Amino acid sequence: MSTTSPAPGLPSPGRSPRLREALLAADFTADGLLELLGAPAYAALARSETVPALRATRGDGVLDTLVRLFLLQRSVASGRARAALPLEECLADGWVVRDGDEVRATVDVRPYSGPEGQDWFIVSDLGCAVGGASGASGQGEGVVLGVGGASTTLAGITVRTPVSSALDLGTGSGLQALHAAQHATRVTATDLNPRALHFARLTLALSAAPEADLREGSLFEPVRKDTFDLIVSNPPFVISPGARLTYRDGGMGGDDLCRSLVQQAGDRLNDGGYAQFLANWQHVEGEEWQERLRSWVPRGCDAWIVQREVQDVTQYAELWLRDSGDHRSDPAQYDARYDAWLDEFEARKTNAVGFGWITLRKSGSERPSIVTEEWPHPVEQPLGASVQAHFERQDYLRTHDDAALLAGHFTLAAEIVQEQVGLPGAEDPEHVVLRQNRGMRRATKVDTVGAGFAGVCDGSLSAGRILDAIAQLLDEDPVVLRDRTPQALRQLVEEGFLEPVRP
C-alpha cells in the first residue's frame, strides 16, 4: 500500500507497458545507445556534454527521435514522434506535451542495464538524467535526479542475496528500489520529497518491475517499527550551511544526518540483515575520523567502513557550489555562499570531509567486528559478493583462536598473483607481494613463510602441518614458527587472500 498521492504535472504510469514496448522495439536501450552514438559521444553524456550526441542523432530514424526526445530533451516534429511512440497515449498520460507542431518530453528517460542484462529505464526531472547531479543546476530544491556515480556505486556494493524485505530510504528516482525488487519479496521505498516517490513509481513501471510500497517522510519515520533484511540509502549526505537543495543537503548540522541514519539502522534490521549507505563525514580537529565513525555503529552490529576520498574544506565547498551552478551566478552571491560554507566548517572545527561506504550487519555479537579503513584505490564492481564475504570472514576469525586457526584448512583465493620485487640478478627478492585481481584488488607484502604458505595452500593440509613443513625447509624451530605466524595468517584471511575450507 502506498501512502503517497499522485504528483501534479507528472506522467501517469497507467499505460507505461505500451511506452516500454515502443522503447524496446526501437532499441532505446543502453546497448542501443552505445551503438548509435559511439563510445566518445556516449561517454560525453556522463560529463553533461550533449553536442556529440546531438550530432550523432541528426538522422530521421526512430531511435534518433527517442534519444533526442527523452534523453537530450529536444523537441521533435509530431510526425516523427508518432512514428516512434503510441503518441496519443503518451500525450494523455503526460509523458510528452504538444508545443505547436512539435512534441517535447516532460521527464528524462534514461536506459539503464540491469545486473543480468535487463533493459530498465530511470525516470527523472528534465535535465537530470544526463550527467547526474551536474544537470540539476537551477532546477529548484525539489528536483529529482537521474542516475549518477553515487547511485551506481551503492547499487554495486549492495549484497544481493534473496531476502524477504528491503528498504530503500531516500529513493529518489527509484534506482535502488528497482535493484532490490529483483531479489526481495517486499520492497519499501521512502522519500521526504513526494515528487521523488512518483518518479520512483514511474521508474518501476517503465522497467516492468514489481510495485513498491512507497511512503513519504524523513529517515525511518515512514516505516514506523517495521524491520528489514536489507536497508540501502544514498541519502542527502552533503555537509552544508542549511538545506537549500533537498536532493543533496541533509538539513541537519554537520554530518548528523548520516550519523542518525547509521545509529538508527540497528533497530530496523532483522538478525543477519545488512544496512548499506553512502555517506560524508567530518574530519574534526583533535579527533581521529576512524573513532568518530566507530562511535556511530549501533550495538549488536558488525561494521565495515571504507573511506574512498578526502577533500579539504575549500575543495568540498567548491565541488558542491559547482554542483548547484552557483559558480555561474552573480560573483558576489557566489562569494557569500562560499564564505558561509567556510564559516560552517570553522564553527565545527572541521578541516576536511571524507566520502565513503558504510555497511552494517546485524550479528548480535557481544564482540562486534568494526573495520575502518582508507581505500582510495580502484576496485572492481560489483562488490556485493565481496562485502558479504568480508563479514563471513569476520565470523570465522571471531570464532577461531590461534589453535583453531592452525588446525584449519585454507585455500588461496581465486585470481591471486604473486610478484617478486628486487634488484635484477639478485639471488633472493627484497620482498614478495600477493595481489588480488578481483574485488577490492588489495596487495600485501609477505615474508618467505607467507609466500611459501600461499604457494602450497590447497586445502589438503592443515595450516599447522604446512608450517611444520616450511620450518623443516628453512631449518627453523617449528614451535617458534607456529607461535609467531597466526597473526600473519589472520591478516591474510581478513583481507581475503586465504579462504577457510568449511567443514
Side-chain angles (χ1 to χ4, degrees), residues 297-317:
V297 179
R299 288 190 63 183
C301 288
D302 297 334
W304 186 18
I305 300 166
V306 181
Q307 181 167 273
R308 294 287 287 158
E309 185 180 356
V310 180
Q311 288 188 337
D312 67 46
V313 293
T314 60
Q315 292 173 310
Y316 190 82

Side-chain angles (χ1 to χ4, degrees), residues 69 111 183 226 276 331 363 440 443 457 501:
L69 183 64
H183 62 102
D226 293 349
Q276 300 187 257
S363 65
M440 293 294 285
C457 192
V501 176

Side-chain angles (χ1 to χ4, degrees), residues 150 153 234 237-239 258 277-283 289 293 305-313 315-320 322 345 352-358 373-376:
T153 293
N234 176 20
F237 50 63
V238 176
I239 300 169
C258 290
F277 315 103
L278 300 185
N280 283 185
W281 45 81
Q282 298 170 130
H283 284 224
W289 74 265
L293 271 291
I305 300 166
V306 181
Q307 181 167 273
R308 294 287 287 158
E309 185 180 356
V310 180
Q311 288 188 337
D312 67 46
V313 293
Q315 292 173 310
Y316 190 82
E318 291 162 13
L319 169 66
W320 295 110
R322 287 194 304 272
F345 287 131
V353 177
F355 299 67
W357 320 323
I358 299 175
E373 64 176 314
E374 188 159 7
W375 192 255

Side-chain angles (χ1 to χ4, degrees), residues 238-259:
V238 176
I239 300 169
S240 61
R244 188 159 60 99
L245 298 173
T246 304
Y247 73 86
R248 69 165 204 197
D249 298 326
M252 298 185 184
D255 51 19
D256 283 355
L257 183 137
C258 290
R259 176 185 55 79

Side-chain angles (χ1 to χ4, degrees), residues 17-291:
R18 288 272 289 135
L19 174 56
R20 175 178 171 81
E21 290 174 8
L23 299 179
L24 294 178
D27 204 18
F28 186 68
T29 63
D31 289 342
L33 289 188
L34 181 59
E35 183 174 348
L36 173 69
L37 302 179
Y42 192 75
L45 290 177
R47 304 190 299 271
S48 299
E49 297 292 349
T50 58
V51 172
L54 286 168
R55 291 174 62 86
T57 55
R58 288 180 291 191
D60 57 2
V62 170
L63 183 54
D64 299 87
T65 299
L66 293 175
V67 171
R68 282 183 165 255
L69 183 64
F70 284 119
L71 193 60
L72 303 178
Q73 290 98 55
R74 294 300 195 274
S75 296
V76 301
S78 295
R80 290 187 60 177
R82 192 178 305 280
L85 297 166
L87 183 56
E88 299 308 320
E89 292 180 11
C90 288
L91 287 166
D93 287 347
W95 291 96
V96 297
V97 294
R98 292 193 187 278
D99 187 4
D101 293 332
E102 295 185 319
V103 169
R104 57 180 172 83
T106 60
V107 290
D108 274 338
V109 177
R110 177 175 176 174
Y112 179 88
S113 183
E116 297 178 1
Q118 303 100 320
D119 290 316
W120 292 341
F121 301 97
I122 311 302
V123 187
S124 64
D125 266 313
L126 290 171
C128 296
V130 175
S134 61
S137 303
Q139 292 287 321
E141 66 172 23
V143 64
V144 178
L145 300 184
V147 181
S151 54
T152 56
T153 293
L154 178 60
I157 67 172
T158 301
V159 175
R160 296 296 177 193
T161 53
V163 294
S164 296
S165 56
L167 169 65
D168 176 13
L169 192 152
T171 189
S173 57
L175 176 62
Q176 309 306 325
L178 180 56
H179 276 279
Q182 311 308 303
H183 62 102
T185 303
R186 174 174 60 89
V187 176
T188 302
T190 70
D191 207 289
L192 183 63
N193 181 0
R195 295 183 76 253
L197 295 173
H198 191 80
F199 274 111
R201 181 182 291 111
L202 295 174
T203 289
L204 292 168
L206 197 56
S207 300
E211 293 184 6
D213 180 3
L214 303 173
R215 303 187 186 186
E216 181 181 343
S218 177
L219 297 178
F220 289 103
E221 182 274 328
V223 298
R224 297 178 288 278
K225 295 186 180 299
D226 293 349
T227 59
F228 302 88
D229 301 313
L230 174 67
I231 299 171
V232 293
S233 183
N234 176 20
F237 50 63
V238 176
I239 300 169
S240 61
R244 188 159 60 99
L245 298 173
T246 304
Y247 73 86
R248 69 165 204 197
D249 298 326
M252 298 185 184
D255 51 19
D256 283 355
L257 183 137
C258 290
R259 176 185 55 79
S260 298
L261 188 59
V262 173
Q263 289 180 334
Q264 295 174 24
D267 292 334
R268 308 300 179 139
L269 280 176
N270 295 326
D271 290 344
Y274 288 90
Q276 300 187 257
F277 315 103
L278 300 185
N280 283 185
W281 45 81
Q282 298 170 130
H283 284 224
V284 178
E285 182 180 331
E287 181 181 15
E288 295 292 332
W289 74 265
Q290 295 93 334
E291 291 307 310

Side-chain angles (χ1 to χ4, degrees), residues 410-413 416-420 432-435 446-461 466-467 469-470 473 489 492 497-498:
F410 301 89
T411 58
L412 193 65
I416 301 292
V417 297
Q418 177 178 300
E419 301 172 357
Q420 296 187 354
V432 175
V433 174
L434 299 180
R435 187 179 301 277
V446 292
D447 60 13
T448 303
V449 174
F453 189 97
V456 299
C457 192
D458 61 3
S460 61
L461 296 176
I466 293 174
L467 291 177
I470 291 174
L473 287 172
L489 294 182
L492 290 174
F497 291 93
L498 296 180

Side-chain angles (χ1 to χ4, degrees), residues 340-361:
W341 225 300
L342 298 185
D343 282 344
E344 173 83 3
F345 287 131
E346 184 177 345
R348 296 183 177 277
K349 297 183 178 180
T350 299
N351 52 43
V353 177
F355 299 67
W357 320 323
I358 299 175
T359 299
L360 306 177
R361 187 191 55 165

